[in-house]
Amino acid sequence: MAVGRSGSVSMWNYEKKLQYPVNIKKPNPAYAKIILTQLGGPDGEMGATTRYLNQRYTMPYATGKAILTDIATEELAHQEMIAAIVYQLTRNLTPDAYFVDHTTGIYPQSAAGMPFSTGTLQCTGDPLTDLFEDLAAEQKARITYENLLRLIDDPDVRDPIKFLREREIVHFQRFGDALRDLQENLDAKNYYAYNPSFDVQRRPDPRRRPNL
């Protein structure tokens, strides 16, 4: 947290350094191609940031809003880390199909070459549904990092990826905290975690003629 000159308090402070150091000695474009999926792939950091920043507006309680904001802004730092990893791995890149379109620019796409799309994420406006999606998203990101570790031998590359994997586990735990806080405030305790009060204000007035 940082305090501005006028005395106002900002929500967070950007430090001009990576959240975790990335120092890769040996370029490896093949590694870069698969790691890029954690920037713009279906379970990557760009999707996570976009999902969480937008879901927080319909989260009804302060705990959930704060957790979504904290994790979303940390995911921005993870985007920086992934981009740094890819950039360092593509030094002396041998021209290929990626080079034709992007030279050595960091373009968000999956390992299969599909560009980033918000079609892989959802913001339903229902806090329960959104939090269950967030829990699943963190698990999918974790398994993607684990798959990368199965394919990568270079310790300089593995080290920051291990850190990112560990943060996905922490995020999963924090979303669990947000879900428990939400469930404790439900007015209906049932298996499906459905909360009738969320829909009260949206129920149509039976006396009002519908627009046909």
Side-chain angles (χ1 to χ4, degrees):
M1 182 176 292
V3 180
R5 293 181 180 177
S6 63
S8 61
V9 179
S10 61
M11 184 171 62
W12 53 278
N13 182 44
Y14 173 66
E15 296 183 15
K16 294 183 179 181
K17 63 180 181 179
L18 295 177
Q19 185 183 11
Y20 188 88
V22 176
N23 297 299
I24 297 170
K25 303 179 187 69
K26 299 177 183 177
N28 189 322
Y31 283 172
K33 185 175 182 179
I34 58 175
I35 292 170
L36 200 55
T37 197
Q38 279 304 82
L39 180 65
D43 305 309
E45 305 292 357
M46 286 184 65
T49 302
T50 305
R51 178 189 292 111
Y52 305 152
L53 282 175
N54 289 286
Q55 286 178 350
R56 65 196 176 123
Y57 291 101
T58 51
M59 196 58 54
Y61 306 115
T63 297
K65 285 181 185 291
I67 289 174
L68 280 164
T69 302
D70 288 348
I71 295 176
T73 50
E74 184 179 353
E75 302 289 19
L76 289 169
H78 294 176
Q79 289 182 46
E80 284 189 306
M81 286 185 61
I82 292 295
I85 292 170
V86 171
Y87 181 73
Q88 292 183 27
L89 284 170
T90 52
R91 293 192 300 270
N92 305 318
L93 174 67
T94 300
D96 60 5
Y98 181 90
F99 179 89
V100 171
D101 288 332
H102 314 293
T103 58
T104 54
I106 310 300
Y107 181 74
Q109 65 180 38
S110 72
M114 292 297 294
F116 170 71
S117 170
T118 55
T120 60
L121 58 93
Q122 177 62 287
C123 298
T124 67
D126 181 284
L128 286 161
T129 304
D130 285 347
L131 284 173
F132 279 116
E133 168 159 339
D134 299 341
L135 286 160
E138 294 299 326
Q139 290 288 70
K140 288 186 286 185
R142 174 189 58 79
I143 193 64
T144 303
Y145 281 123
E146 289 174 358
N147 287 340
L148 289 171
L149 289 169
R150 292 182 178 105
L151 297 173
I152 294 170
D153 297 325
D154 188 335
D156 290 341
V157 183
R158 290 175 59 87
D159 187 47
I161 291 177
K162 286 180 179 179
F163 170 82
L164 290 166
R165 174 192 173 276
E166 291 169 2
R167 295 307 300 167
E168 304 300 345
I169 294 171
V170 173
H171 293 173
F172 179 81
Q173 293 168 335
R174 294 206 63 201
F175 280 132
D177 294 337
L179 180 61
R180 279 189 291 273
D181 178 74
L182 181 63
Q183 289 174 323
E184 288 172 1
N185 286 283
L186 295 179
D187 59 5
K189 307 297 182 184
N190 56 56
Y191 177 78
Y192 296 102
Y194 166 66
N195 192 30
S197 70
F198 290 159
D199 294 320
V200 170
Q201 60 185 357
R202 299 179 180 84
R203 289 174 185 165
D205 186 341
R207 297 168 296 179
R208 184 177 177 181
R209 183 178 179 181
N211 295 324
L212 301 177

